[in-house]
Amino acid sequence: MAISARPVAPDIVVARSTDVLEGRRHLVAVDDVHLGLFRFRGKLYAYENACPHMGGPVCQDRMVDGVLERIEDDRTSRGMTFDEDDPHVVCPWHGFEFRITTGEHAGFSKIRLRSFPVTEDGGEIRVRL
Amino acid sequence: MTNGPRIQPHAIQEITTHTSTPDILANAQRDRERYGLDDVFIVDVDSHHSELASWPEIISYVEDPVLRDTAEQMMLHRPLAGKMALSSYDPGLALQDAGARIPHQSNLAEPIPPGDDHRDVELARRAMDAMSIDVQVVFPQPMLGIGLHPDPTIAVPLLKAYNRWFVEHILPKDPRIKSLIALPFEDPQACLETVHLYGDNPDVLGFMVTSQRHAGVHRNEYMRLYAELEERGLPLGFHAGPSWKDTMTSTMNRFLSVHAMSFVTCNMTHMTNWIINGLPERFPNLKVIWIESGLAWIPFMMQRLDHEYLMRQSEAPLLRQLPSDYIRQMYHTSQPLEVTDMKLLESTFTAMNAQDSLLYASDWPHWDFDLPSRIMNLPFLDRDAKLNILGGNARKLFGL
């Protein structure tokens, strides 16, 4: 008996490359699925616009670099700073904060955004839902 | 020809303080459909409007001419006093929006077309519609901190002015809007006058004590107030509030820490005094509601007070039951519901008999608000219990 392969959903053109500029995002609705597209250092990321916490519009709030606390060798704190290598997007409903490069909650990686494979070719951005 | 998916750029690329409430809460529509919320009677026992937008109007209601003039001159000559004159607003509370990460906490600055009703009425309607709420109990925001004002001779007339303004301009404008009117707790006589003034108003569901730190709720001068409320069948709420100036919070360096502890200890203090001084025995028919501290502290209080009481009964001679029994007979609002350990939450619900005493609250538009789906998706509750918490318990308590 042959085992049938699970059908692969086709990639869907959801935006033009110019819609998602470096360091920016673009929100798009594909039927009922709302997506946030992000570009960081040339690479694209696609997440569902629904926070795993309470369903909030997680892709629509501030994009802000992750915050680090500067601890010296003697373990004293020297205050906070931004980590330019770790951009975050924040859910506007309750402030849940996620790493744009992984979709993980910035402080508890078991909570993560629903992500989708995203490709770019010929000036078009495609997402597989 | 095949029909491909419909692709559209999202109309709102970024939510800001100027985004409309329906757009901020658009994702709540999923819950509305998923749980059939339009068919559920939902009472929101804790939400807020922002009285700061109306501050000059409220100041015009201050009766004392000298105090009113002082405030008017402050608003005229101090550029930042236009929305704050006479208030005791704690600058630390400006950190609530987490560095502008949570815009609706910062401000609801959405445009509202000119109409017959106050802007805050329309904002409340929009929130109720978005969350499928049938009745919303609306409170002020900065005025909730009136119990922390350093000068009662300002706090009392300011709150009286606010109450008059609120009852005239907000409360009667929509039948879904109700309130527990804030008591000027520093002045027991003024509290009684407040109950006499508004106790017969059908939109006033009861009264509440706000963020009070410095008054023992068991002091003899409050007994007439409690008796009046009991006689009228009107509940008394204790709405907790945060302070960075509590002895305990004064060592804290993050708003997160203050917020986590200060609300809870505010209510813990009053609840302890309330029970240990036998007020449930003195006013057996007075309904008491503990507002805005979540639920995680309640089982702790049950065990802690029972434990102490059993060893030191002589210090609480009025009690006829264990402290936990009295706690079980009180009402609590649900927000902010702590859900990171569902087993602990289930035990908490069981310990406090939540299905008959818990009241749903959104706390909208504050940064840690809860949607009705918070209750609907609790896995350990049956549907009847969910419906009780979302509205059934409030319907009985308030006679809605």
Side-chain angles (χ1 to χ4, degrees):
Chain A
M1 179 177 163
I3 299 173
S4 59
R6 191 175 169 189
V8 176
D11 291 353
I12 302 166
V13 177
V14 295
R16 295 183 300 272
S17 293
T18 51
D19 291 332
V20 193
L21 302 177
E22 174 58 35
R24 307 291 289 275
R25 65 110 170 260
H26 180 66
L27 270 288
V28 62
V30 182
D31 287 338
D32 294 336
V33 180
H34 291 221
L35 299 175
L37 304 169
F38 299 85
R39 191 190 296 276
F40 177 64
R41 292 178 182 166
K43 190 170 178 189
L44 285 164
Y45 304 88
Y47 299 109
E48 186 178 17
N49 188 31
C51 183
H53 168 229
M54 218 184 291
V58 62
C59 297
Q60 284 176 271
D61 196 16
R62 271 191 79 184
M63 292 167 64
V64 58
D65 286 339
V67 171
L68 298 173
E69 183 154 5
R70 295 181 296 124
I71 302 296
E72 298 294 308
D73 290 342
D74 64 359
R75 300 187 224 188
T76 55
S77 172
R78 290 294 176 262
M80 310 277 203
T81 189
F82 283 116
D83 180 357
E84 295 178 358
D85 296 324
D86 184 21
H88 292 183
V89 65
V90 184
C91 181
W93 276 10
H94 301 97
F96 271 48
E97 201 155 323
F98 297 89
R99 296 202 156 97
I100 289 174
T101 55
T102 65
E104 298 169 333
H105 183 277
F108 188 64
S109 60
K110 287 184 180 173
I111 299 175
R112 53 190 311 133
L113 300 177
R114 184 183 178 201
S115 65
F116 300 94
V118 54
T119 55
E120 184 175 30
D121 185 41
E124 292 180 330
I125 296 171
R126 291 179 168 80
V127 170
R128 183 172 301 162
L129 296 182
Chain B
M1 180 177 162
T2 58
N3 291 325
R6 188 159 172 253
I7 317 279
Q8 274 196 315
H10 205 291
I12 297 167
Q13 291 289 314
E14 181 170 359
I15 288 173
T16 71
T17 56
H18 296 282
T19 305
S20 76
T21 299
D23 287 329
I24 296 170
L25 294 172
N27 280 16
Q29 292 299 321
R30 297 179 181 202
D31 298 330
R32 193 174 188 150
E33 292 156 13
R34 180 178 174 193
Y35 296 114
L37 292 178
D38 286 348
D39 298 326
V40 176
F41 180 65
I42 300 176
V43 182
D44 176 2
V45 183
D46 178 7
S47 74
H48 300 270
H49 80 108
S50 177
E51 72 275 22
L52 291 186
S54 310
W55 204 246
E57 277 183 60
I58 292 167
I59 289 299
S60 75
Y61 278 68
V62 173
E63 290 179 354
D64 183 320
V66 177
L67 200 57
R68 188 172 64 247
D69 180 69
T70 300
E72 287 169 348
Q73 294 305 310
M74 286 172 81
M75 291 190 290
L76 191 61
H77 297 292
R78 294 176 63 88
L80 298 179
K83 294 182 177 179
M84 301 299 288
L86 298 184
S87 84
S88 61
Y89 186 69
D90 184 343
L93 292 180
L95 293 167
Q96 285 205 87
D97 67 0
R101 286 166 172 81
I102 309 176
H104 55 87
Q105 171 65 60
S106 314
N107 195 11
L108 291 176
E110 63 204 80
I112 302 276
D116 295 337
D117 292 333
H118 193 280
R119 163 186 178 81
D120 288 3
V121 174
E122 178 57 22
L123 284 174
R125 285 183 186 131
R126 291 180 179 191
M128 283 189 275
D129 291 344
M131 292 189 276
S132 305
I133 287 166
D134 295 281
V135 175
Q136 191 166 53
V137 176
V138 178
F139 302 143
Q141 292 190 47
M143 288 294 277
L144 278 179
I146 201 74
L148 296 165
H149 201 293
D151 185 349
T153 65
I154 295 176
V156 170
L158 194 56
L159 185 55
K160 286 166 77 172
Y162 165 77
N163 283 341
R164 269 186 59 212
W165 174 85
F166 179 79
V167 169
E168 285 183 25
H169 292 276
I170 304 294
L171 199 53
K173 302 300 183 181
D174 191 301
R176 293 180 293 170
I177 296 177
K178 309 291 182 189
S179 192
L180 303 173
I181 297 293
L183 293 167
F185 207 62
E186 291 282 353
D187 183 339
Q189 181 59 32
C191 290
L192 263 180
E193 289 166 9
T194 302
V195 176
H196 292 154
L197 265 177
Y198 306 119
D200 294 326
N201 186 321
D203 294 322
V204 173
L205 302 183
F207 292 83
M208 67 171 180
V209 179
T210 64
S211 305
Q212 181 58 249
R213 297 293 201 286
H214 309 299
V217 298
H218 54 289
R219 279 167 26 191
N220 279 339
E221 53 264 44
Y222 293 120
M223 297 308 120
R224 282 179 60 208
L225 168 66
Y226 302 150
E228 181 77 20
L229 291 172
E230 183 183 48
E231 194 174 309
R232 288 170 174 262
L234 293 168
L236 176 65
F238 288 90
H239 190 301
S243 170
W244 216 306
K245 301 185 184 101
D246 291 341
T247 306
M248 169 193 60
T249 55
S250 64
T251 67
M252 293 178 168
N253 64 337
R254 305 279 159 85
F255 184 82
L256 184 164
S257 314
V258 174
H259 193 269
M261 295 301 296
S262 191
F263 277 91
V264 176
T265 51
C266 180
N267 270 349
M268 290 169 95
T269 302
H270 293 322
M271 178 185 274
T272 300
N273 281 334
W274 189 266
I275 291 173
I276 299 306
N277 287 282
L279 288 163
E281 291 293 340
R282 288 193 251 178
F283 301 97
N285 296 315
L286 175 57
K287 307 295 186 191
V288 173
I289 313 167
W290 301 94
I291 302 169
E292 200 174 341
S293 291
L295 304 184
W297 60 289
I298 294 167
F300 162 76
M301 287 295 285
M302 288 177 151
Q303 289 207 82
R304 186 72 174 174
L305 290 180
D306 284 358
H307 173 79
E308 299 280 336
Y309 169 69
L310 289 171
M311 293 186 291
R312 304 180 71 88
Q313 181 276 334
S314 62
E315 290 181 16
L318 289 176
L319 273 57
R320 295 289 174 267
Q321 304 175 57
L322 290 173
S324 60
D325 293 325
Y326 296 113
I327 292 174
R328 214 169 281 114
Q329 293 155 24
M330 295 170 170
Y331 293 85
H332 295 82
T333 58
S334 59
Q335 184 278 341
L337 199 64
E338 304 96 341
V339 298
T340 51
D341 187 325
M342 207 52 79
K343 284 184 180 173
L344 271 179
L345 185 63
E346 181 177 7
S347 297
T348 301
F349 271 56
T350 303
M352 64 189 286
N353 190 25
Q355 71 171 16
D356 295 321
S357 65
L358 188 61
L359 310 169
Y360 164 72
S362 74
D363 201 30
W364 176 261
H366 284 309
W367 65 275
D368 52 349
F369 75 103
D370 282 342
L371 289 165
S373 59
R374 229 353 167 202
I375 303 300
M376 287 303 279
N377 66 19
L378 290 175
F380 53 82
L381 289 181
D382 63 29
R383 183 166 173 82
D384 286 347
K386 291 174 181 175
L387 299 189
N388 277 354
I389 292 165
L390 282 172
N393 291 337
R395 192 200 295 268
K396 286 182 197 162
L397 171 62
F398 297 123
L400 295 170

